[in-house]
């Protein structure tokens, strides 16, 4: 703090530009997790703590980050985790739950359960069986944001029986995530039934002219339903994050 | 016929290969319409006479072709016709009907009305107002194939009230043409309701990432409905032709 | 109602499938506005009444739709309106306000002002001067959803002075719309500063390898900020709609 | 049925909107096949029962679905089946025939053979040896629709001897499927010889600028033959389905 | 020449690297035509003199270049010439012949007619009427190379009557240029009939998924006929040049 | 011949259309090689016998085809041959020469050596080491066409020493094949030095924005050298074929 | 300054985070130029003052910005300026020089001429006449950075006489800008001759498969010359800026 | 030398064109390294000796080239080297240092260390952990050019703490290389902070609509920072080369 004061005096004296002041001041809000830094201030700025992208990280590096997050009372979420990584981390963090389909690892802290009416409500809808891994990543992420999550699986555009069968639940959501490959038309159909934001997640499922999800992505961007916005192909994490964020905002205001 | 006989004798004698025989024989089935030839044999081979692509053709050239077709008792259909061309041709062919939205010119011959149960039934469905020109081209073409044509306009995927309100008519069709831009999801929705072939026509309507109809085209190619096949962007003519052809085949068999 | 009862009896008796029941029942919730139908039920289903896409519509058709909406106590919003259309409609609806930059026409009803703490807060950020038309469409749309809207203009990524100068306002928003062309990096920068959802709207501004907004679109889809979702290129309406919808959900819960 | 009556009464009384009525009514037409549902009503709506996409499904799940279909007297067709899946299912369904090239598994029911003149006629044409797997999928699917199927293999555009040698058979078809990679020109050539619909299936065969079937797809979409419509790249199933559907419609009318 | 000698002496002495020698030597083979240089040595190196790309050039600049070429006894060919440019140049070069469809201007020198058996033979084939401008540019260019040029117009793939009717002429060619838009399948068909090289020129004619000639280009690159090579979209000049060059090589050897 | 006569009589009598005549006549010029047919007439029509695409063919099928070709005195060329296929075929055809880099198998017949001045001259130029497999396929193909082939390897655009060092040889060629990946600029440089046709073969060598040869392909299509035409990516066979064909035409005329 | 002190005290006391401190402090370094702000601090940070993008700006707005820049002793450069804008601004700033080809407006201040050996040296090379506008924008920008600029025009890859004729000048440059459309091969050729950085600017000149400069862009990105980096299509300004910046760095160190 | 003199005499006498002279003269500046030639003159022309692209080269071939380079006192750099190649070469060149992450092999010569103020200064910035291999290739290359290299790792755009913490170092650089995947926005942010050239290297890191680095590439090309130029995707070598070249030019002038 001493150092900070000295810098501030130089700043006021005009010796230092504000920018130089900023970059000399040592940021106390960033914990050093070895190779990758942990941005502990993020939770205040962005509403949620940092999420760990496991792919390419060593178990040791992740262990450090997890401990730093837990030490600050923050829930842990890691995505794109391999089965091998999960086994090792599971030994060290027995409270962690590994979702092998969604490839996530989540450590919920016990004191995080909010009173019931303050919980956001997210529904996740998938078009087909092969969209499940992306949907599971979205579901784990939305759970980690503190939302209550329901899922409606295998809803086809050409035969949307399951959708109409679940309308009441769908309409009670604060935000809906629709995960679909191929033509990507499902978000429009869902969007026409609900009065809340719909986050569309295109998947790389499909063959031929689906072009690894591009057809679905274009379909979703051109959706005729006004309440549909889109995230990247296979970006289950981002879909769950945005939906959870909206749900949290609404729930906090309730 | 004399010449043909002589050629055939040489063919049999081995003087001429079959291929040489074919290319020396003067084809009597092609009428010379000036710049562009009229393939009068086509009607027998392909089920329908030739259609005139008006764009870039002179009125004189078209007049010749029209007369040749009428002279052989064939219905006339011209597509991509400008208002200027239509005015002039309308003077010369007062029975011709010009569709300014679909940019077609059609001259139906009076003796072509088949008994009612032999008429094919085509329904044309559009997603929005701006799909109308392409739908009208499809409608005129299907009429020209001899089909009875109904239309269901302005059916949105996010609110398909009009579609369900017209299900009986839709289900009575021999073939359905769905004309849609933007995300191109309507054919899947229609395809899930009918047991006949659906011809999807993507339109270049839309903006942004619709890429002049490519988004709609990809959506339609990736349709999850098994009975959907696709024609080129803005190809109202081809959509109406294929649907009319199917309807004719079914009606002729009735 | 009589007819409905009769149909329901047949349904219960098994004479009618539920689906047939539905399509025979005449939908009382759709007003006939001539060429285009007005979906008056939409407001209940989707949270907001239907928006009029003016491009290609006649003034007469729009007049009918506007009157139908006003007659049901609904705010009017029309997008992609030409100056010519606006002049004529302005004579007939003197309360309407035409935004020539955003090409919108809006008729707010006087009894729609909610108590202050129930108003959603939307901030719109633009990267450069040429993004203004899209931003204005977003602003008019967000106003029409009932939100209070602030704008921060001309925030370049390479010199984000204006952004940091407006951080408090930005952080007080329920949702933020970021409108940007060229590289599309601004949503990431904004997303790193706020704890609410960011709706990114790519614009077709730029030249060379910006490909009519595709570079910006890809940049936004690949954003490293987790709270960013994306709508179509130049889709100011959809950006304003999604942001207004989120803000309304949060404000209603307040 | 009791429940349905109660719901209908509330509907007539205005307590329930028609839509709410529909979604509360429990759909009796969907059999629960474990992970994936079997839409038994589909056969009535769409003309054919549901087809099983084997890829990614467990043998157990498929066994359940197959039994549900057979139990309702419906023919079974599964596509994209691996050799491993086929071996296990072959033990359980000894009447099933596995096509290892087309990767299909089909169980025909004995009482399905229609009188001869009621059988649709489908011809499948391939451009080269490498198009065979897609063609076989199309053939199996067309057989499953009840059609009589003939094939003409290895017809190159640059040397179409085999095509002309098979013209009479080709011209007797109700619908033709053309499977081709590389430049995708064969459907145009075939389309010029027949008076029935041609379904073009582009294949991902080829190298260099064939771009995994895109060159063939574009060629087919731009075909100058009016009777050609197109399905997705490698979509042998859809090609066979649409052709079989057309043939069935024609044959039923005969 | 004095200067050259001095430089050569320094080169031999090692004072100058060969490269420096080359760039100091003043090139006598380039005539200065004002803004654009005329490469008079080209004729020796490349077999033909330089061709003038008229677009964007002033009439004065072209007049200079034309005179320089004529002064060296070289035939003049200018492409992409506007009607306005042609009128003015026609006054100054009354022997010049302007082709308004192909947008070329050519000045043949009288002493260039070779003995008959030394003339190369080029045939130009077009798919449709709209390919004519590109074909005319190709024809003028091939004439300028000294070839005898025949044309076969309006040969559609779906009905190649005209092609078979002209087989003898086609087979007598030294090189064939095929100009086609849409699907670009014609070169394959032609390539299967002749034993000489086929130069395929895709045209930007077409609509929808023809993508300004890309579909035709891809079709031609993927041609199954081994004797087909391709030039750029709408590159009539290059097609005529390569064909004329081949024909000249063959004719010179005769 | 009897049958042919009868058909011809019916043709002359008008019983048979010429087309029907043609397709009923049994083609004696096609030998049946099992799965794939051998087009023995091709040599007369196209100047060269058929080439065997080995990929996906059984050794047995190829053995049959090879024998049929040899039996008619035709040179054998097979491309895309695996090492395994080559070993087995090498045992059966000890005169065959296998090129493992170019993946070709060629059986030259002894009596095919033409007098020296009748041999065409082809030069093959490569940009880098990794272009060698494509260049070798081109070289083997050109040898099979009867040409004398020289190669100039590893010529970089940024340092074309080897090219200038080989100018005399290059300029003595009847046709040049340039094989290059990355930017694809080498054909332009070569094209500026020679007066014969240049066949450009883009290769899929490279990384990043080379897009599997697309960058090279586009560079070659846009070449500023007029004598450059292009074949498909990695199409060494077609490059060697077209060059060999041109060289043969010139040599035969010599 | 008083305010700043007070903020700094709160910062030191921990009342304010450093970030809040920064955004409350009013930035004195940004002059308000009406619609668009002028970043006067930029010159210190980035080495050069801000450049004005004229397109879409009013003359009044630009006048304000120009005066602010001149008032701080900074050279003015505006790009993408129309002739109309230039005429009006020319009246107000008679020292300004308008380049109508490059569409720039530049006001050099008299006291900016550095001693001769401190001037950077930039050479600009173009492939063809149509690249001139982009090259002129680059030239004006490099002049504005204080560099001495030479140009070598109309250098073709297939006949690079002009390049070799200008090697000494080229090799004396601190940085070279190469402006080229079509195949984009010129930067590689230039890059092989010089030992300084080459900035490649692709232009949208060309037709067919040049795709508005994409072919040139890809060619340049894949350049085999190691010293070539690339800027956006038609980005003459950026090419001149980067080259001028490099030249300035080198000249300042001299 | 004798031969050279004779050639020069013929050149002066007019017997030989300058070009023929050049290509007959045997180039003494190219050492023959077996399969691939070593261009020893390159160092003089281009500032740096040739770099070895190890991929696809044998260890023997590289050993020859390395020895040739060392024999001429030149530093060795090889890129894209496998671990297997490196082990073998490490035995033969014990001074060589292998960077397994960047896949480089470098042999620095002891007498190359310049006096300190003559060393260029390069900083390399990466966006995330997965950009490290490309950054390491850039770092090794810049070291090989003689520059002093610093790195700033893991700077995300949404949280650029590390960047501001390293501003003084960044601003002291002669050139900066920014390596980033995903949206590619980091170069703009860095470019706004420094007054030296920024070389942007897009990486193929990312998923979904990052399209193997295309999204990053487009973002970088459209950067709003004027001092940013771009190299190919994953082209760490070229990024380090251009930066090292700039730094060397500046340092040499110091």
């Amino acid at each position: 703090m001493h150092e900070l004061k000295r810098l501030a005096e130089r700043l006021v004296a005009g010796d230092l530009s504000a920018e130089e002041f900023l970059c000399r001041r040592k940021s106390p809000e960033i914990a050093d997790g070895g190779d990758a830094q942990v941005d502990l201030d993020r939770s205040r700025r962005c509403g949620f703590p940092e999420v760990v992208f496991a792919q390419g990280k060593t178990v040791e590096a992740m262990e450090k980050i997890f401990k730093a997050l837990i030490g600050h009372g923050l829930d842990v979420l890691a995505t794109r985790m391999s089965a091998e990584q999960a086994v090792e981390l599971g030994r060290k963090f027995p409270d962690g739950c590994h979702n092998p389909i969604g490839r996530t690892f989540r450590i919920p802290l016990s004191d995080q359960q909010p009173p019931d009416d303050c919980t956001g409500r997210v529904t996740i809808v998938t078009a087909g069986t092969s969209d499940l891994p992306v949907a599971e990543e979205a579901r784990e992420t939305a759970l980690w944001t503190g939302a209550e999550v329901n899922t409606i699986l295998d809803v086809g555009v050409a035969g949307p029986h399951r959708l109409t069968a679940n309308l009441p639940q769908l309409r009670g959501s604060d935000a809906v995530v629709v995960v679909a490959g191929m033509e990507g038309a499902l978000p429009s159909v869902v969007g026409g039934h609900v009065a809340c934001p719909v986050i569309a997640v295109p998947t790389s499922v499909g063959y031929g002219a689906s072009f690894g999800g591009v057809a679905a992505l274009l379909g979703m961007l051109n959706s005729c339903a006004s309440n549909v916005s889109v995230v990247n192909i296979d970006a289950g994490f981002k879909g769950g994050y945005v939906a959870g964020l909206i749900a949290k905002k609404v729930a906090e205001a309730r």
Side-chain angles (χ1 to χ4, degrees), chain A:
Chain A
M1 195 53 77
H2 205 64
E3 165 69 4
L4 181 61
K5 193 170 171 188
R6 204 175 51 79
L7 285 173
E9 280 164 5
R10 292 185 57 195
L11 170 83
V12 175
D15 260 24
L16 229 52
S17 77
E19 201 170 38
E20 285 161 342
F21 165 79
L22 210 73
C23 74
R24 291 200 184 185
R25 186 181 62 95
K26 240 195 125 204
S27 170
E29 291 144 338
I30 298 177
D32 205 324
D35 286 341
Q37 58 187 6
V38 183
D39 178 357
L40 296 174
D41 184 42
R42 210 192 115 93
S43 192
R44 185 179 57 79
R45 263 186 303 119
C46 300
F48 295 113
E50 203 169 357
V51 171
V52 179
F53 189 78
Q55 195 172 293
K57 289 215 174 61
T58 62
V59 167
E60 289 68 36
M62 285 193 280
E63 190 184 348
K64 268 194 201 167
I65 302 173
F66 286 15
K67 282 183 176 161
L69 288 165
I70 293 170
H72 285 77
L74 298 169
D75 272 25
V76 171
L77 176 66
T79 62
R80 305 280 154 136
M81 182 169 285
S82 69
E84 292 72 27
Q85 291 173 319
V87 165
E88 288 195 57
L89 286 166
R91 281 197 210 104
K92 283 160 186 172
F93 302 91
D95 291 346
C97 90
H98 172 227
N99 182 326
I101 297 173
R103 286 182 297 153
T104 56
F105 192 92
R106 192 162 52 86
I107 315 177
L109 298 191
S110 51
D111 54 8
Q112 288 249 335
Q113 292 310 94
D116 207 55
D117 56 325
C118 289
T119 309
R121 289 184 294 264
V122 168
T123 300
I124 294 174
V125 183
T126 68
T129 319
S130 35
D131 301 317
L132 202 61
V134 175
E136 281 297 290
E137 191 184 85
R139 194 171 66 86
E140 288 285 343
T141 306
L143 284 172
W144 170 81
T145 68
E148 187 190 312
V149 184
N150 286 291
T151 54
I152 309 176
L153 301 180
D154 285 331
V155 176
V157 170
H161 308 290
R162 286 220 170 161
L163 195 67
T164 42
N166 287 284
L167 272 184
Q169 184 203 96
L170 203 63
R171 292 197 171 151
S173 310
D174 295 321
V176 176
V177 180
V178 181
V179 181
M182 298 181 72
E183 72 205 291
L186 191 57
S188 293
V189 175
V190 172
H193 282 111
V194 298
C196 72
V198 172
I199 317 303
V201 188
T203 62
S204 54
V205 166
Y207 61 99
S210 72
F211 299 127
V214 170
L217 172 63
L218 293 182
M220 289 166 174
L221 285 169
N222 286 287
S223 170
C224 53
S226 306
N227 49 352
V228 173
S229 65
V230 186
V231 295
N232 203 353
I233 297 167
D234 289 337
F237 163 68
K238 209 179 261 187
Y241 187 99
V242 173
L245 180 55
I246 293 170
K248 190 189 174 198
K249 290 278 161 194
V250 175
E252 281 174 358
R254 265 200 288 263

